Amino acid sequence: MEYRELDVSSIIEYLLSVDEVASYFGGDDLKADEIGDGNLNYVYLVSSVSDSNKALIVKQAVPYLRCVGEEFALGRERMTYEIRALSKFKEIAPDFVPDIYHVSEDMSIVVMQYLENHIILRGGLTDAKKYPNFSEHVSSYLADTLFKTSSLYLNSTLKRKLIDEFNSNTELCKLTEDFVFTFAYMQNETNDADNVKDNPLAQKLFSDMEFKEKVLDLKYKFMTSTDALIHGDLHTGSIMLNENETFVIDPEFAYVGPFGFDIGALLANLANNYVHHTIVTKDEEFKEYLLETIKEIIELFESKFLKLWEVQKNSALLIDGYIDDKTAQKYREKFVKRILQESIGFAGCKMARRVFGVAGVAEIRGIEDKQKRHDAEALVLKIAREFVMKYEKIDSAEQVLEIIKVNSAG
Amino acid sequence: MEYRELDVSSIIEYLLSVDEVASYFGGDDLKADEIGDGNLNYVYLVSSVSDSNKALIVKQAVPYLRCVGEEFALGRERMTYEIRALSKFKEIAPDFVPDIYHVSEDMSIVVMQYLENHIILRGGLTDAKKYPNFSEHVSSYLADTLFKTSSLYLNSTLKRKLIDEFNSNTELCKLTEDFVFTFAYMQNETNDADNVKDNPLAQKLFSDMEFKEKVLDLKYKFMTSTDALIHGDLHTGSIMLNENETFVIDPEFAYVGPFGFDIGALLANLANNYVHHTIVTKDEEFKEYLLETIKEIIELFESKFLKLWEVQKNSALLIDGYIDDKTAQKYREKFVKRILQESIGFAGCKMARRVFGVAGVAEIRGIEDKQKRHDAEALVLKIAREFVMKYEKIDSAEQVLEIIKVNSAG
């Protein structure tokens, strides 16, 4: 099928031509509304006129950045990778990925479950809302998706096929290389110019060569490690949830990269939220909940990842009988420790880039009081710096919490 | 063009249909002889009947292992990667790759320069022959090919395209994963059964869990690092040379892998040759030459790689202005040190796998005196083990020589 850009009027005809979608709506009349919050893509809510409980989300990529306009070209192929990742993650972790009704790489379109009763995690946390099942859910998602797309599970041939499917997600990988690992730590036109100007924090960060050298190591790891299929942009805005269910969405940055990148992204966003509450709400109980959540995610991830690995006797890496059980166990434990360490390094980059880089987060850059925003930024950078400088020595979740707490108390 | 298997009679007609080849021979009558030394492929020497100075080599892959026969299937796609790698390496390091007259991925065929006055390095070294330009040449080849296919030189888009071109060289990568990193250190039907049987050296190696755990780390690096386009099988049988010229041939194992693998392969084969002379010829002068060669290769590689990097202001990894010159220099030096360390780790694996694994080398497995062969194997394993156990602490070429010398003196 040849690509064409859909709109609220043409989308219904298109959807009715797709059997799975037509059968979902069972012959009802349909209406379509554009939902305005996509930066990159057009997002529509399509629902039954007679029964508003029947509704699906349609996402279509256009060959430019939606929030800027046609003058900012961005290949619509990004949707190809989102489609492939959604399908792969749905297969591996079905409880944590929305149901998919239709995908077409030609049309750069995906039709999926409407998460009516779920909100974006970032907003929930900023409103100090607790999610009792979140750590349990997200640690399962991370352990399952990372382990089952790695050389610790797949054989050598399947692993290379997986790399092939995602290797050409070049444009979006480049965005991460530039915006997470480079531009946010130097004078660059894409930065938040108002904030950078005459700001001693920016001067200090941009001339912090020790920090930037460590960031280079992490950038190199990001570019040249093919550990597992990662989501690639797992901040708290890519998670929709309620008290019972957790869904990971928007994997258009997916590619085969380092184990620690998704875990790091998530921890970074939780830590930034902690900073928000430290400076703005001073809600000690919620801060404690955030720390507990970070600890649980790390520890549950480790134990779930190890558990999956223990029963996997053959993979690209290991074949049964190569080493004895005791050595294998020691090897696995050291390996998972390294994943934690790299996660903390990546978390430091993902925190720090939010301060002056192009993409701020609401809970920091959205703080209206200027002094408080400045204090929050200073604290983000302090924690981020320790994460980046010390990640290779991190040995436990406790040490991660310690870094957050000690700096926030200061 | 559809693939068909050529033979001595059909090959001449095929070659005359290729303009570059026809023009090379200028209308002369041609004859073709099969050269018997290819394990994987058919190799022909095609020459002018009237002027034997005009001659070319033709290599064609068949969809099975030539030295075993049609019952051992092996995809002829390996020639696709050999063709791509030859073309890429010829572009980057033209002095050290034979001239190419014709390639066809469809026909799995390559036509190239006949290296009439050159011999295989392995044989030369075993005969204690010195090559005064070899270190200079091979260090240039290594520095150029590794640097210019890495993220330190290419931009992010070109690097991903390069990965794409070689990522599906799955069968040959799997051979390395199995035979270099796994089977040679455990009971396995592919090993040299006569030698393994009742051999205390084999018992010791197969139960050496410390060593095998380290080998796993190196195997993991081999499988998941996309540093640069590597030759993938750079032993001394893949180098043809004379006193003036050095050529690297047979890159069918090429893929985008770790920086240290080719360097390690080469150093391993030089060290194994040192072991041969230690046990068999006791030629102290030649042993000194081999050590000097190892030292020169390491040190020349480091300085040439650094020199290429110093003038490269922009790449996937670094952009001009990100860090100051002093930090950049420190970063580059640390980076190159890590390449040396990993090279030594890989060298250890490449040495050790020659003892019991499927593919022995003449200078060790070919030693006729049984006791001497056993002594040589013991020494190979001793040096290899130190390389693998200590590679992360290696800091200089001197330390590498020290490990070889001290163990050989014992």
Side-chain angles (χ1 to χ4, degrees):
Chain A
M1 178 176 292
E2 207 185 331
Y3 176 79
R4 63 202 158 94
E5 214 173 289
L6 298 171
D7 59 28
V8 278
S9 49
S10 58
I11 202 167
I12 291 177
E13 194 193 335
Y14 175 82
L15 290 178
L16 291 175
S17 75
V18 176
D19 286 349
E20 292 81 351
V21 177
S23 113
Y24 171 84
F25 285 114
D28 294 2
D29 283 339
L30 302 184
K31 59 175 179 157
D33 294 297
E34 200 196 325
I35 302 181
D37 57 357
N39 280 326
L40 274 65
N41 306 305
Y42 282 92
V43 182
Y44 302 94
L45 175 64
V46 177
S47 53
S48 158
V49 173
S50 57
D51 178 0
S52 64
N53 285 325
K54 290 192 201 165
L56 295 176
I57 288 290
V58 183
K59 237 173 124 171
Q60 187 182 37
V62 287
Y64 50 87
L65 201 58
R66 182 191 165 286
C67 62
V68 183
E70 299 196 21
E71 69 272 23
F72 195 105
L74 187 70
R76 65 182 172 81
E77 293 68 28
R78 61 187 185 270
M79 184 56 80
T80 302
Y81 303 103
E82 176 158 353
I83 286 170
R84 291 179 189 178
L86 272 174
S87 308
K88 180 60 77 180
F89 291 145
K90 183 73 190 171
E91 183 192 319
I92 295 174
D95 292 348
F96 310 116
V97 178
D99 291 335
I100 299 163
Y101 289 83
H102 168 65
V103 297
S104 165
E105 293 189 9
D106 290 343
M107 283 290 287
S108 299
I109 203 167
V110 57
V111 181
M112 60 184 152
Q113 180 181 4
Y114 173 42
L115 301 174
E116 199 176 358
N117 304 309
H118 306 74
I119 68 160
I120 295 283
L121 176 58
R122 185 186 306 287
L125 296 179
T126 307
D127 294 341
K129 179 125 187 48
K130 296 180 187 170
Y131 297 96
N133 293 305
F134 172 62
S135 320
E136 188 66 44
H137 288 168
V138 84
S139 59
S140 289
Y141 169 87
L142 287 167
D144 283 337
T145 58
L146 293 175
F147 182 77
K148 290 186 177 171
T149 60
S150 77
S151 301
L152 315 177
Y153 174 78
L154 298 174
N155 68 35
S156 181
T157 307
L158 290 175
K159 179 70 187 294
R160 276 170 197 283
K161 278 195 184 140
L162 187 70
I163 293 174
D164 254 351
E165 281 179 60
F166 291 90
N167 181 52
S168 300
N169 197 2
T170 307
E171 277 190 306
L172 271 68
C173 286
K174 181 78 165 63
L175 290 181
T176 302
E177 289 159 25
D178 287 344
F179 293 115
V180 176
F181 292 107
T182 312
F183 296 162
Y185 317 119
M186 66 189 290
Q187 285 295 351
N188 188 278
E189 59 188 10
T190 63
N191 286 335
D192 181 5
D194 287 346
N195 195 12
V196 169
K197 198 166 172 283
D198 301 325
N199 187 339
L201 269 184
Q203 304 310 317
K204 196 175 151 203
L205 178 68
F206 295 176
S207 61
D208 186 348
M209 294 299 151
E210 268 194 321
F211 170 80
K212 289 165 76 167
E213 198 190 327
K214 282 288 205 188
V215 170
L216 268 192
D217 280 340
L218 289 157
K219 181 180 181 183
Y220 191 78
K221 247 183 240 294
F222 177 81
M223 294 193 306
T224 62
S225 307
T226 57
D227 289 330
L229 180 64
I230 61 174
H231 177 284
D233 193 29
L234 193 57
H235 55 77
T236 44
S238 294
I239 293 169
M240 291 191 73
L241 80 178
N242 58 31
E243 297 208 344
N244 305 311
E245 290 181 312
T246 304
F247 291 103
V248 176
I249 59 170
D250 293 351
E252 69 259 50
F253 282 80
Y255 91 114
V256 179
F259 277 126
F261 195 72
D262 284 351
I263 308 166
L266 187 58
L267 299 181
N269 279 268
L270 294 170
N272 274 350
N273 205 274
Y274 182 93
V275 169
H276 176 87
H277 287 288
T278 301
I279 304 291
V280 179
T281 69
K282 306 190 199 300
D283 181 338
E284 294 301 325
E285 193 203 333
F286 194 72
K287 284 168 65 184
E288 206 43 57
Y289 164 75
L290 285 170
L291 292 181
E292 191 55 33
T293 301
I294 289 172
K295 184 165 182 280
E296 279 175 13
I297 290 172
I298 292 172
E299 292 176 351
L300 288 170
F301 168 79
E302 287 190 349
S303 70
K304 288 173 187 181
F305 191 94
L306 283 171
K307 207 167 162 192
L308 288 166
W309 197 353
E310 272 160 29
V311 296
Q312 188 65 28
K313 294 293 173 208
N314 289 287
S315 66
L317 180 64
L318 262 168
I319 63 169
D320 204 14
Y322 175 78
I323 44 172
D324 63 30
D325 289 349
K326 203 178 121 200
T327 311
Q329 196 189 327
K330 202 176 73 183
Y331 184 79
R332 289 192 297 262
E333 284 166 6
K334 272 169 60 182
F335 197 104
V336 172
K337 207 54 82 190
R338 274 204 301 270
I339 297 180
L340 168 62
Q341 292 170 342
E342 290 186 14
S343 300
I344 300 307
F346 288 126
C349 302
K350 294 285 259 181
M351 287 181 77
R353 72 97 159 213
R354 297 299 192 182
V355 176
F356 300 113
V358 67
V361 282
E363 62 260 65
I364 304 296
R365 202 170 292 173
I367 297 172
E368 288 190 11
D369 181 292
K370 209 180 156 185
Q371 183 58 50
K372 284 189 177 161
R373 192 173 68 238
H374 186 271
D375 291 347
E377 289 170 347
L379 181 50
V380 166
L381 289 176
K382 223 164 128 189
I383 297 171
R385 189 181 198 280
E386 284 216 39
F387 279 178
V388 167
M389 296 310 293
K390 294 185 177 166
Y391 77 92
E392 290 152 306
K393 296 191 180 76
I394 296 285
D395 210 36
S396 69
E398 286 301 343
Q399 280 175 277
V400 180
L401 301 195
E402 209 52 32
I403 290 175
I404 299 173
K405 277 192 293 191
V406 167
N407 284 287
S408 304
Chain B
M1 177 175 292
E2 208 185 332
Y3 176 79
R4 63 201 160 93
E5 214 172 291
L6 298 171
D7 58 29
V8 277
S9 48
S10 58
I11 201 164
I12 291 177
E13 193 193 336
Y14 175 81
L15 290 178
L16 291 175
S17 75
V18 176
D19 286 350
E20 291 82 350
V21 178
S23 114
Y24 172 83
F25 286 113
D28 293 3
D29 283 338
L30 302 184
K31 60 174 178 159
D33 294 297
E34 199 196 324
I35 303 183
D37 58 358
N39 281 326
L40 274 65
N41 306 304
Y42 281 92
V43 182
Y44 302 94
L45 175 64
V46 178
S47 53
S48 158
V49 173
S50 56
D51 178 0
S52 65
N53 285 325
K54 290 191 200 165
L56 295 175
I57 288 291
V58 182
K59 238 174 124 171
Q60 186 181 37
V62 287
Y64 52 85
L65 201 58
R66 182 193 166 285
C67 63
V68 184
E70 300 197 20
E71 69 274 24
F72 195 106
L74 186 70
R76 64 180 172 81
E77 293 67 28
R78 63 186 185 271
M79 184 56 79
T80 302
Y81 303 103
E82 176 159 352
I83 287 170
R84 293 180 188 178
L86 272 174
S87 309
K88 179 61 79 182
F89 292 145
K90 183 73 190 169
E91 183 192 320
I92 296 175
D95 292 348
F96 311 117
V97 178
D99 291 335
I100 299 162
Y101 290 83
H102 167 66
V103 298
S104 164
E105 292 190 7
D106 289 344
M107 283 289 289
S108 300
I109 203 166
V110 58
V111 182
M112 60 185 152
Q113 179 181 3
Y114 173 43
L115 301 174
E116 200 177 356
N117 305 309
H118 306 74
I119 68 158
I120 294 283
L121 176 58
R122 184 186 308 287
L125 296 179
T126 307
D127 294 340
K129 178 127 185 48
K130 296 179 189 172
Y131 297 96
N133 294 304
F134 172 62
S135 319
E136 188 66 44
H137 289 168
V138 84
S139 59
S140 289
Y141 169 86
L142 287 168
D144 283 336
T145 58
L146 293 175
F147 182 78
K148 290 187 177 170
T149 59
S150 77
S151 301
L152 315 177
Y153 174 78
L154 298 174
N155 69 34
S156 181
T157 307
L158 291 175
K159 179 69 186 293
R160 275 170 199 284
K161 276 193 188 143
L162 187 69
I163 293 175
D164 254 352
E165 280 178 61
F166 292 91
N167 181 52
S168 300
N169 198 1
T170 308
E171 277 191 307
L172 270 66
C173 286
K174 181 76 164 65
L175 290 181
T176 302
E177 290 158 26
D178 288 344
F179 294 114
V180 177
F181 292 107
T182 313
F183 296 161
Y185 317 119
M186 65 189 291
Q187 284 295 350
N188 189 279
E189 60 188 8
T190 65
N191 286 335
D192 180 4
D194 286 346
N195 195 12
V196 169
K197 196 164 173 284
D198 301 326
N199 187 338
L201 269 185
Q203 303 312 317
K204 195 174 151 203
L205 178 68
F206 295 177
S207 61
D208 186 348
M209 294 300 152
E210 267 192 324
F211 170 80
K212 289 165 76 168
E213 200 189 326
K214 283 289 207 188
V215 171
L216 269 193
D217 280 341
L218 289 156
K219 180 180 182 184
Y220 192 77
K221 246 184 241 294
F222 177 81
M223 294 194 305
T224 63
S225 307
T226 57
D227 289 331
L229 180 64
I230 61 174
H231 177 284
D233 193 29
L234 192 56
H235 55 78
T236 43
S238 295
I239 293 170
M240 290 191 75
L241 79 178
N242 58 31
E243 298 209 344
N244 306 310
E245 291 181 310
T246 305
F247 292 103
V248 175
I249 59 169
D250 293 351
E252 68 258 51
F253 283 79
Y255 91 114
V256 178
F259 276 126
F261 195 71
D262 284 351
I263 307 166
L266 187 60
L267 299 181
N269 279 269
L270 293 170
N272 274 350
N273 205 273
Y274 182 93
V275 169
H276 176 87
H277 287 288
T278 301
I279 303 291
V280 178
T281 69
K282 306 191 199 302
D283 182 337
E284 294 302 324
E285 194 204 334
F286 195 71
K287 284 169 65 183
E288 207 44 57
Y289 164 76
L290 284 170
L291 292 181
E292 193 53 34
T293 301
I294 290 173
K295 183 164 182 282
E296 280 175 12
I297 291 173
I298 292 173
E299 291 177 351
L300 289 171
F301 168 79
E302 287 190 349
S303 70
K304 289 173 185 181
F305 192 93
L306 282 171
K307 208 167 162 192
L308 288 166
W309 196 353
E310 271 160 30
V311 296
Q312 188 64 29
K313 294 294 173 206
N314 290 287
S315 66
L317 180 65
L318 262 168
I319 62 170
D320 203 14
Y322 174 79
I323 44 174
D324 62 28
D325 289 349
K326 203 180 121 197
T327 311
Q329 196 191 328
K330 202 175 74 183
Y331 184 79
R332 290 192 296 263
E333 284 167 5
K334 273 168 61 180
F335 197 105
V336 173
K337 208 52 82 190
R338 274 204 301 270
I339 297 180
L340 169 62
Q341 292 171 341
E342 289 186 14
S343 301
I344 300 308
F346 287 126
C349 302
K350 294 285 259 182
M351 288 181 77
R353 73 95 158 214
R354 297 299 191 183
V355 177
F356 300 113
V358 69
V361 282
E363 62 259 64
I364 303 296
R365 202 170 293 175
I367 298 172
E368 286 190 11
D369 181 291
K370 207 179 158 187
Q371 182 58 47
K372 283 189 178 160
R373 192 172 65 239
H374 185 270
D375 291 348
E377 289 170 345
L379 181 50
V380 166
L381 289 176
K382 224 165 126 190
I383 297 171
R385 188 180 198 279
E386 283 215 39
F387 279 177
V388 167
M389 297 309 294
K390 294 186 178 165
Y391 76 92
E392 290 151 305
K393 297 190 181 77
I394 297 284
D395 211 35
S396 69
E398 286 300 341
Q399 280 174 279
V400 179
L401 301 194
E402 208 51 33
I403 291 176
I404 299 174
K405 279 193 290 190
V406 167
N407 284 287
S408 303

